Structure formats: structure tokens, C-alpha cells
Amino acid sequence: MSQQERVQEELEALEAILMEDITISHNEYGCAELVKCVIFPSTANEVEKQYVRVTLEAELPDGYPDCKPVIRLKSPRGLDDSTINHLYREIEKKCAEYLGQAVIYELIELIRESLTESNLPTCQCTVCLYGFAEGDSFTKTQCFHYFHNYCLAKHIIITEKHFKEEQDKLPAWKKATNGFQASCPVCREPICCDVKELKTALPPKELENAQNFELTCDLKMLQQKMQQLFNYQKSRGGIIDIAAEENKLLLITNSNEVPSGDTSEDPGPSLSNNPDQPLSNGLQGRNQRHYSKYSTNR
């Protein structure tokens, strides 16, 4: 059996087993070059309990299966870098073991088994920045991001409060007609969840066991140093006073000459009489615009 026939036989078997869960791309000559499969943990029919996932991309070089496929793990959800790196090492071993044989299905099953064993998000809750421990109540959004129920409830309550406050400031014709829509704190995709149910959850264990914040001597010294730096930058004009800047107006004129008797206002940066010497504001030559700042009360 030729190399191309072996590949075709493997891909037909994959399509028969995985059906719509697998996508095969072909090149301009009709040869398969990329196999893509989104892999979930095995949870029977309980799809809502599939808390992690990853997309396997297997690029088939010309010599496959007599040479290893190029494997990429894309769009991991609920998996940290250490888990992904472990999967890559196991995939490399499996490819070496099955060199010269069909290996794509073996890789899919290897990843599925690993996801099933660790079907608990190994990432952090992006609200509290703590991980997920056994016994924590957490939510997987439709976009496959993870949050403690306690944290997600607080996030939604606060964002809804801010939304209503901003809406109250707007005229009637500018107000949103659809009302508040909860969104994912990570990707801003709309999410649907029962806030009343989320509020009943206990705080995550790591958050409860975290030490209370204390202002240590090191932090006090750091605050003093930062205050000194702030005062120095302010004295050198490095800190923008927003209130003062709002009362300034920049006037630009096309006048090429300053009246000789006009000394009522500061003419701005002094101009050099030497045409070969750069001007203080970085401009050279004649017939340049004169910039002046005038203080005015709005």
C-alpha cells in the first residue's frame, strides 16, 4: 500500500469515528495537509460538566506517516501552561512510538484521557486571581472562561450598577433600549447566568484563607520613595495638572512678524537670528508659525 493510500485510509476512519468533530483541509492537489479536532473530556451525556477543552491541529508533511506530523494545541480553555507543556511531551512520545503508523486517532485519545483526568480548570479566576480548588463553586461561561460563582456575582452586580449610573446621566434619546447585558470579564462576550443563584455561593477557599493585607515597613518605605519621585516630577513639570490644562487655549497664527511695540504678551520661545542654528522648538528657517499660549477662563 502506498504512502498516500495509507493516509487516505486513516482519514476515512477518522471521519467515520468522529464525524463532524473533525475537519480535514486539502491542498491544491487534493492531498490532505491539516487535520483539526476540538477535544473535550469524556463526560458521557453531561456536556455541562466539560470544563476544559483544546483544539488539536495536526499538519501532515509529505512523508507522513513515515515522519512525524507537526502538532499544535490551539485555543486551550481551563488549562494552564504546565498542563499544555505536559501534553506536548506526551504527544512527542506517542508520535515516536507510532512512527510509520497512523497516529492521529491515538493523539486525540491521549489528549481526551488527559482532559478527563484533570477536568477542573487549572487557570485562575480573572476576578479574584485565585485558582479553583476542590469544593469551590465555579461557572463555565458559553465562551469557555471560568469564574468562581461568588466572584462572578460580584462582577455582574457592580457592572450593572455602573451601567445604570451611566444611563441615568444620558438624555432619554441616548439611553440603551435593551437594558443591561452581562458580559464575560475576559472577552466581553454576552453571557447568561442567574445572579441570584450565583450570590448564594460561598467565597473561594483560597480567598477565605488569604492573609489580610498589612502595611509593612517595606511598603511604607516604598510609598515614601514614590512620593518623593512624584514631588520631583511635579516640580520639573513632569506631572500634568488636568484642571489647569483645561483652562489653557492654544492659538496658532500665520503672522510672520511680531509687532515691535507689542510687549503685552509673552511671544513664546525665543527665535535665533542665525539661520543655521536650530530653533529652540525644533523648527528651522524663516516664515514659521508663532505659537503662543494664553490663559483664559472658560
Side-chain angles (χ1 to χ4, degrees):
M1 184 181 296
S2 67
Q3 176 262 343
Q4 187 60 37
E5 289 175 338
R6 286 188 290 163
V7 173
Q8 186 62 32
E9 185 178 277
E10 177 184 8
L11 297 181
E12 288 177 356
L14 286 174
E15 288 179 318
I17 297 171
L18 301 172
M19 295 184 287
E20 69 274 5
D21 292 337
I22 193 170
T23 303
I24 301 174
S25 302
H26 298 78
N27 59 21
E28 57 184 353
Y29 305 106
C31 299
E33 61 178 1
L34 183 68
V35 178
K36 184 184 295 186
C37 180
V38 181
I39 306 174
F40 300 89
S42 297
T43 57
N45 295 325
E46 296 179 300
V47 178
E48 69 279 359
K49 292 186 178 180
Q50 293 175 338
Y51 299 123
V52 294
R53 79 174 186 193
V54 70
T55 300
L56 168 70
E57 288 188 0
E59 185 178 335
L60 308 180
D62 292 338
Y64 177 80
D66 295 326
C67 64
K68 299 177 183 179
V70 179
I71 301 299
R72 293 183 290 270
L73 298 177
K74 297 289 192 68
S75 304
R77 292 292 185 267
L79 305 171
D80 59 11
D81 291 343
S82 62
T83 304
I84 295 297
N85 292 335
H86 172 74
L87 278 174
Y88 271 121
R89 290 192 294 270
E90 294 301 313
I91 287 170
E92 181 65 23
K93 293 178 184 177
K94 184 68 68 172
C95 288
E97 179 185 349
Y98 276 76
L99 190 62
Q101 306 175 55
V103 73
I104 305 300
Y105 182 76
E106 298 296 330
L107 296 180
I108 293 173
E109 286 302 299
L110 168 68
I111 297 172
R112 196 188 310 279
E113 289 176 8
S114 179
L115 297 186
T116 303
E117 292 175 0
S118 57
N119 190 21
L120 182 71
T122 54
C123 57
Q124 292 178 329
C125 169
T126 55
V127 177
C128 69
L129 299 182
Y130 286 106
F132 300 92
E134 288 290 345
D136 283 346
S137 299
F138 64 91
T139 293
K140 177 193 73 176
T141 62
Q142 294 89 335
C143 47
F144 266 79
H145 291 116
Y146 308 88
F147 310 94
H148 296 111
N149 290 358
Y150 176 87
C151 300
L152 185 58
K154 283 187 171 294
H155 168 78
I156 294 176
I157 291 170
I158 291 174
T159 52
E160 184 175 12
K161 178 184 176 183
H162 291 169
F163 172 82
K164 290 180 179 179
E165 289 175 350
E166 292 299 318
Q167 289 295 304
D168 291 340
K169 299 176 184 177
L170 298 176
W173 62 275
K174 273 191 174 182
K175 293 184 178 181
T177 57
N178 297 330
F180 173 75
Q181 170 62 59
S183 60
C184 172
V186 176
C187 64
R188 299 297 185 266
E189 285 290 321
I191 58 175
C192 299
C193 49
D194 187 346
V195 178
K196 291 183 179 179
E197 183 179 347
L198 295 177
K199 287 170 60 178
T200 61
L202 296 174
K205 292 183 177 180
E206 286 194 54
L207 182 61
E208 283 190 318
N209 297 331
Q211 295 181 351
N212 293 329
F213 174 77
E214 294 181 1
L215 187 59
T216 62
C217 294
D218 291 339
L219 286 176
K220 289 180 180 179
M221 292 178 61
L222 180 60
Q223 284 181 334
Q224 293 174 359
K225 290 181 180 179
M226 296 302 293
Q227 185 64 44
Q228 292 173 0
L229 178 60
F230 176 83
N231 292 336
Y232 173 77
Q233 290 178 335
K234 190 174 182 180
S235 67
R236 303 286 292 180
I239 304 297
I240 297 175
D241 188 339
I242 298 177
E245 291 297 320
E246 288 180 348
N247 293 326
K248 289 184 178 180
L249 177 65
L250 176 65
L251 298 180
I252 302 176
T253 67
N254 292 323
S255 173
N256 293 327
E257 295 182 358
V258 178
S260 58
D262 186 5
T263 59
S264 59
E265 297 290 347
D266 181 8
S270 61
L271 305 179
S272 172
N273 292 326
N274 184 356
D276 296 327
Q277 180 180 348
L279 303 181
S280 60
N281 61 356
L283 300 176
Q284 290 185 349
R286 300 179 180 178
N287 299 325
Q288 303 294 342
R289 293 181 178 178
H290 298 274
Y291 295 86
S292 301
K293 282 190 176 181
Y294 296 85
S295 295
T296 181
N297 293 324
R298 295 184 177 179

